[in-house]
Amino acid sequence: MNHNPASPGPLRVLTAITSGQEPAVIEHLARHRGQVDVVRRCADMAEARGYAGAGIAHVIVMSSDFPGFDRHAVEAFTTHGVALVVLNDPLDQYSSQRLTALGVRHFLAYSQVSDGLIPLMTEAHNAPAGEADNLPIEWTSSRENHDLSLAPPATQGRLITVWGTHGAPGRSTLTTNIAYGLAHRDQLGRRRSKKKQLPTESSASAIIVDADTQAPSITQTLGLLDEASGLAQACRAAGQGLLTASALTRYLAGITPQLGVLTGLARASRWPELSASNLETVLTTARHCAQWTVVDVAPDIDEDDFAAFDPRGPRRNAATTTTLAQSDLIVVVGTGDPVGTTRMVRALETITNHPDLAHVPRLVVVNKVRDTTAGSSTPRAIRLALSRFTRELPPVLLPDAPTTVDRSLMNGRAVLEEAPVSAIGKELTQLIDVIASGFDTGNSGNERSESTADQQMAASGV
């Protein structure tokens, strides 16, 4: 649909132009009074967005260097149904590539105002609303001062989100181990191939993203310095239209040559820095950097209480819902005790009934399973309780291994890095096979994954 329904009379126009260029542009618009009507000359971005929201204009003409011009402003005008026309100097930093990355569809150099502004305003007003073309992304294979050399994927990489219940079910631990296992599946396969004739995978690459806006902990889990958030920096670059794959690699902390981390927020109070639009851009870019992107998110997906008072304001849970909606697979994790299983059932009901998330494939992982919580029948009871939510695959059960996990945490390493041949390490390796085989074989992967999961459970006495 158009930004505004066709209406008789001139186009109603807002202007937000830097002082040096404003007189010439206003004079040009004044000469076309029958076609356009300048209803307001805005002094700042707050005024421009306010009048756009009031519905008094069809089009806003804005300078690319106007204070506050960024992705949020572009989205605000789109939301209000006001067509945006940007005037820029091609010789400055606001290049056509950057404007395209910000989602601007109609822009013009100042030198072309006299001939092209009025036709472009008309075109913008009549154009159907839609998404801007994707920005081509360049690749760089290394990051300065880090031992990081990700292999770019031949096709768009996969996005896996680890989500689960409250109560510390092990989301961060599972995130780091899934990412490490997928990035080093060839090494894990070689260890097993010494005993069994198993095919090994070629070298892969993975990125961990800590998008938890409530209790980010990937930094501590992997023993990294808690100085600056790589994810926040990437989101700021995305908001300015400057994020490419080569830029994203500069924000990664290198764990191994095949595994990088976008560290999370240093303080949970900084959650507004992870806006939905910017985070979506970061995740899309990450898909072009590595075969696998594994994201740790907070447990809450409900609407914030403030939504009723400010429908267009920032949402604390937007990082979680945006990531889940973009995922190729959601790994839902909970604990294997009676409290954790009850929380898991409620969490699965929530995600099953969520209109934006119900269609996303998911794999249920029950962590910290131990006989002391409900006797030897614990695994069977857990599978029965979760059976109506787990679709094709049965839930994957991971045993409680506090000693091994604690040692890995103290050393700042993934369990699969610290103790790959331990009991929990072997179970995690089989979980990696379940995930990877599902993507490798498409529909047939469900059968292969289910078989692998069944073998795992049989080996665990489930």
Side-chain angles (χ1 to χ4, degrees):
M1 58 181 298
N2 294 347
H3 287 91
N4 286 287
S7 57
L11 285 177
R12 299 192 299 275
V13 179
L14 297 170
T15 63
I17 303 171
T18 50
S19 57
Q21 303 291 340
E22 185 180 30
V25 175
I26 295 298
E27 181 181 355
H28 175 74
L29 294 176
R31 290 200 297 268
H32 296 79
R33 193 177 301 275
Q35 295 176 264
V36 299
D37 178 17
V38 179
V39 295
R40 186 74 183 184
R41 295 164 62 179
C42 302
D44 55 37
M45 184 59 71
E47 188 177 11
R49 293 175 65 163
Y51 280 109
I56 66 172
H58 299 121
V59 181
I60 181 167
V61 179
M62 177 171 287
S63 299
S64 61
D65 57 348
F66 195 78
F69 174 73
D70 56 15
R71 184 183 298 275
H72 295 295
V74 174
E75 291 182 344
F77 296 128
T78 301
T79 300
H80 296 316
V82 177
L84 173 64
V85 174
V86 175
L87 303 179
N88 80 302
D89 183 353
L91 299 180
D92 67 17
Q93 61 175 321
Y94 297 92
S95 65
S96 59
Q97 187 183 46
R98 180 182 178 188
L99 292 174
T100 301
L102 289 175
V104 177
R105 305 171 65 192
H106 302 92
F107 48 88
L108 192 71
Y110 283 113
S111 60
Q112 300 173 320
V113 165
S114 59
D115 296 326
L117 181 56
I118 300 300
L120 186 61
M121 290 167 54
T122 303
E123 176 186 338
H125 174 59
N126 294 327
E131 296 183 356
D133 295 334
N134 292 328
L135 177 67
I137 296 177
E138 300 178 356
W139 168 252
T140 183
S141 61
S142 63
R143 181 179 187 267
E144 295 180 359
N145 301 323
H146 281 261
D147 186 20
L148 183 65
S149 182
L150 301 180
T155 58
Q156 181 171 272
R158 300 291 190 173
L159 178 64
I160 300 172
T161 300
V162 180
W163 174 81
T165 66
H166 286 276
R171 289 189 305 273
S172 298
T173 299
L174 199 57
T175 298
T176 56
N177 281 282
I178 289 175
Y180 183 90
L182 291 171
H184 301 87
R185 197 176 175 212
D186 56 337
Q187 299 175 16
L188 299 174
R190 282 197 294 270
R191 289 192 183 99
R192 287 180 296 164
S193 64
K194 294 178 181 178
K195 297 182 178 180
K196 300 179 181 180
Q197 295 299 318
L198 296 176
T200 60
E201 302 293 327
S202 59
S203 179
S205 58
I207 293 174
I208 298 173
V209 181
D210 190 353
D212 191 334
T213 55
Q214 297 181 12
S217 59
I218 295 293
T219 300
Q220 293 75 25
T221 300
L222 293 175
L224 301 173
L225 293 177
D226 190 9
E227 293 180 338
S229 169
L231 181 57
Q233 294 180 66
C235 283
R236 283 194 290 272
Q240 296 297 321
L242 299 175
L243 187 67
T244 62
S246 59
L248 182 63
T249 58
R250 292 195 293 271
Y251 304 128
L252 293 173
I255 302 302
T256 71
Q258 298 111 294
L259 179 62
V261 179
L262 278 177
T263 55
L265 300 174
R267 294 185 301 277
S269 59
R270 294 174 55 187
W271 64 265
E273 297 181 35
L274 307 186
S275 69
S277 58
N278 291 344
L279 182 58
E280 183 176 346
T281 301
V282 171
L283 296 178
T284 300
T285 307
R287 287 176 179 266
H288 293 269
C289 292
Q291 283 93 333
W292 304 96
T293 300
V294 186
V295 190
D296 182 16
V297 295
D300 291 329
I301 61 175
D302 298 328
E303 280 288 347
D304 298 340
D305 294 336
F306 293 107
F309 303 99
D310 185 8
R312 298 190 180 94
R315 300 283 182 273
R316 181 162 195 162
N317 300 334
T320 298
T321 54
T322 298
T323 304
L324 291 172
Q326 296 294 316
S327 301
D328 297 307
L329 174 69
I330 299 174
V331 177
V332 185
V333 58
T335 57
D337 55 78
V339 175
T341 303
T342 302
R343 288 174 174 171
M344 175 77 85
V345 169
R346 293 170 180 167
L348 288 169
E349 285 179 339
T350 300
I351 202 171
T352 299
N353 296 326
H354 197 289
D356 297 327
L357 306 178
H359 69 284
V360 183
R362 60 179 178 262
L363 174 65
V364 176
V365 176
V366 184
N367 195 21
K368 305 178 184 178
V369 177
R370 55 193 185 276
D371 292 342
T372 55
T373 57
S376 59
S377 62
T378 297
R380 187 175 303 279
I382 291 173
R383 288 210 312 275
L384 181 61
L386 302 178
S387 59
R388 64 192 177 101
F389 300 107
T390 53
R391 297 179 177 175
E392 298 90 353
L393 290 177
V396 176
L397 309 187
L398 297 177
D400 192 24
T403 302
T404 304
V405 174
D406 289 349
R407 185 173 72 249
S408 301
L409 181 62
M410 289 297 295
N411 293 330
R413 296 156 68 101
V415 172
L416 287 175
E417 183 181 15
E418 176 72 17
V421 296
S422 64
I424 182 65
K426 293 177 181 178
E427 300 292 342
L428 287 168
T429 300
Q430 290 185 321
L431 173 61
I432 301 304
D433 290 341
V434 170
I435 294 173
S437 62
F439 286 111
D440 290 343
T441 60
N443 292 333
S444 62
N446 289 335
E447 300 175 1
R448 180 178 172 187
S449 297
E450 186 168 358
S451 175
T452 305
D454 289 340
Q455 293 172 6
Q456 173 193 2
M457 293 178 186
S460 302
V462 178

